[in-house]
Amino acid sequence: MTKKLVLVGGGHAHLSVLRALAKQRPEGINVVLITPSRYQYYSGMLPGWIAGHYTQAQCRVDLAPLIQAAGARLVLDQIVGLDTTRRCVSLTHGQPVAYDVLSLDVGSETDTSWLESLGDKLLPVKPLDNFFSRWPHILMAAKAKQNYRLVVVGGGAAGVELALAAQQAFTGADINGHVDLVASESGILPGHAKSVKVRVQRFAKHAGLALHFARGVGSEEGVLLADGHLLQADQVIAATGARPAVWLGSSKLGLDEHGYILVDKYHRSVSHPNVFAAGDVCARTDAVMSRSGVHAVRAGPVLGQNLMAILSGGPLRSYQPKLHALYLLSCGPRFAVASWGRWSADGQWVWRWKDWIDRGFIRQFSETPHLHAPHKLENTP
């Protein structure tokens, strides 16, 4: 009997799953990938694209060749609901899609609840497709206006890299504008060593980026800081905390206290053994993992093996997150800061290291293995 494997989301982990299916797919498996776009943008290259180091095409993986190599079918749609009792997912435009085994790699959403008063001035960093579409218009508006004000909210790695990239873009285009970064009172880059923070802050000061260590809320004029200072803004980019998708709350999956899918060491749901998850959408019961693309990339090959094992009866493999993950933080120009535990370094050589890794990631999933029988790309289930 044919079994149906449904992959929801074209995230980093599912790229590895598709590649594994292309190399060796079990017999009697019908594979469907549901994702809004045929392109998977790589978040690690977003700051470099903003700064002008990459084209948009260089920052994405075209899923179509991978889909064909895996002998799968692509459904261009977005999940809005999950019924674990009926074993089906609901989509925005199509009919429900049934599954025997389900894998979720849909990431998280940007929590902008305290910035909603900004209205059209607000641009969350996620979804990436929307950000890639909107940024060129922001740059055009900044070029056309004197003293353009851009505020980035969020002191984590994403906010810091985006703010420094925007500062570089303004400098490179000779824009008469100003970029502000708003972090919390505890400062930038929580979880990173003090030496990393010192290096980044020193570079930010040199680049002319204004840092504000106070919480802020959105207003019609811009961002109002806790100390009463108003940052006037023409545009605000939100790289704030993550939140799970709303539809997870009614899925009947076992969730943690924050609403993320609880998974075991095999990245299998603790409540539904035919459901797997990887990336920001899940939380481990046995390990603490930061919401970083690093873990999605590393868990991908393990997820691919486990999905094929559950379908064919093979043994499952565990994924053990490493204690320290390597972060290479882009600083706008071709300069970066390396962070690994208590060790840090910076320089152009770090940026070249990061560039080599990022380009290698895109190349890895753009060069597909042998081709299964081609399947037509569809936008309906």
Side-chain angles (χ1 to χ4, degrees):
M1 182 179 296
T2 301
K3 295 181 180 179
K4 191 170 185 179
L5 168 63
V6 174
L7 310 173
V8 181
H12 301 341
H14 277 173
L15 293 177
S16 291
V17 173
L18 290 172
R19 190 168 177 84
L21 287 166
K23 290 181 177 179
Q24 187 176 12
R25 188 180 66 174
E27 293 295 328
I29 303 299
N30 181 10
V31 183
V32 176
L33 172 67
I34 302 169
T35 190
S37 170
R38 67 177 281 174
Y39 297 106
Q40 168 61 25
Y41 287 95
Y42 181 42
S43 58
M45 296 179 79
L46 175 62
W49 173 72
I50 291 173
H53 307 316
Y54 306 113
T55 65
Q56 187 168 329
Q58 289 175 315
C59 302
R60 68 191 187 190
V61 173
D62 186 352
L63 294 172
L66 272 175
I67 289 287
Q68 291 183 330
R73 182 162 60 93
L74 176 62
V75 175
L76 296 175
D77 210 332
Q78 188 165 349
I79 184 173
V80 292
L82 169 59
D83 188 333
T84 50
T85 302
R86 295 174 55 206
R87 293 189 177 186
C88 66
V89 295
S90 300
L91 308 180
T92 304
H93 302 108
Q95 296 295 319
V97 179
Y99 64 85
D100 293 301
V101 176
L102 175 68
S103 181
L104 299 167
D105 184 19
V106 295
S108 59
E109 299 176 353
T110 304
D111 186 359
T112 59
S113 54
W114 62 95
L115 297 171
E116 299 295 347
S117 298
L118 286 159
D120 293 339
K121 289 184 176 182
L122 179 62
L123 174 60
V125 68
K126 296 179 181 179
L128 286 179
D129 297 59
N130 183 55
F131 192 95
F132 270 94
S133 175
R134 289 274 303 276
W135 173 254
H137 298 284
I138 294 174
L139 207 55
M140 287 177 60
K143 290 178 181 178
K145 181 180 178 181
Q146 292 292 313
N147 196 29
Y148 189 91
R149 303 299 297 262
L150 174 67
V151 177
V152 179
V153 180
V160 169
E161 287 189 292
L162 287 174
L164 286 169
Q167 182 69 45
Q168 174 65 19
F170 278 25
T171 301
D174 199 24
I175 290 174
N176 183 351
H178 193 76
V179 182
D180 292 90
L181 174 63
V182 177
S184 68
E185 296 89 341
S186 57
I188 61 171
L189 300 170
H192 289 265
K194 182 179 179 181
S195 63
V196 177
K197 301 177 184 181
V198 170
R199 291 177 189 272
V200 172
Q201 286 187 217
R202 183 171 61 226
F203 190 89
K205 182 179 180 180
H206 173 75
L209 178 68
L211 298 175
H212 305 274
F213 300 125
R215 296 191 179 274
V217 296
S219 70
E220 292 183 3
E221 296 80 17
V223 178
L224 180 62
L225 302 181
D227 60 9
H229 181 60
L230 175 65
L231 295 177
Q232 297 281 348
D234 294 289
Q235 188 75 47
V236 175
I237 294 176
T240 44
R243 66 183 178 192
V246 175
W247 53 264
L248 281 173
S250 58
S251 67
K252 298 182 181 178
L253 290 172
L255 308 176
D256 73 355
E257 65 273 21
H258 303 294
Y260 295 99
I261 303 170
L262 274 175
V263 296
D264 59 19
K265 63 183 180 180
Y266 307 116
H267 276 258
R268 180 176 54 183
S269 165
V270 297
S271 60
H272 293 73
N274 66 329
V275 177
F276 289 72
D280 285 0
V281 72
C282 69
R284 286 277 290 266
T285 57
D286 62 328
V288 176
M289 292 192 307
S290 60
R291 305 213 170 274
S292 166
V294 172
H295 294 299
V297 170
R298 290 179 176 170
V302 176
L303 178 65
Q305 179 175 318
N306 288 345
L307 288 174
M308 287 190 283
I310 202 76
L311 289 163
S312 59
L316 297 180
R317 173 185 166 194
S318 64
Y319 166 63
Q320 184 58 46
K322 295 189 177 184
L323 182 61
H324 298 300
L326 173 66
Y327 293 88
L328 302 177
L329 305 171
S330 175
C331 293
R334 289 180 170 84
F335 186 95
V337 174
S339 171
W340 188 71
R342 300 179 66 179
W343 175 81
S344 69
D346 62 29
Q348 293 180 336
W349 68 271
V350 179
W351 189 89
R352 290 193 295 271
W353 184 14
K354 174 177 170 57
D355 176 63
W356 178 76
I357 292 174
D358 291 345
R359 288 180 185 271
F361 178 86
I362 297 295
R363 185 170 54 252
Q364 175 187 0
F365 295 105
S366 298
E367 299 172 354
T368 54
H370 71 276
L371 199 65
H372 281 287
H375 283 60
K376 182 181 178 182
L377 303 185
E378 300 183 10
N379 57 9
T380 60

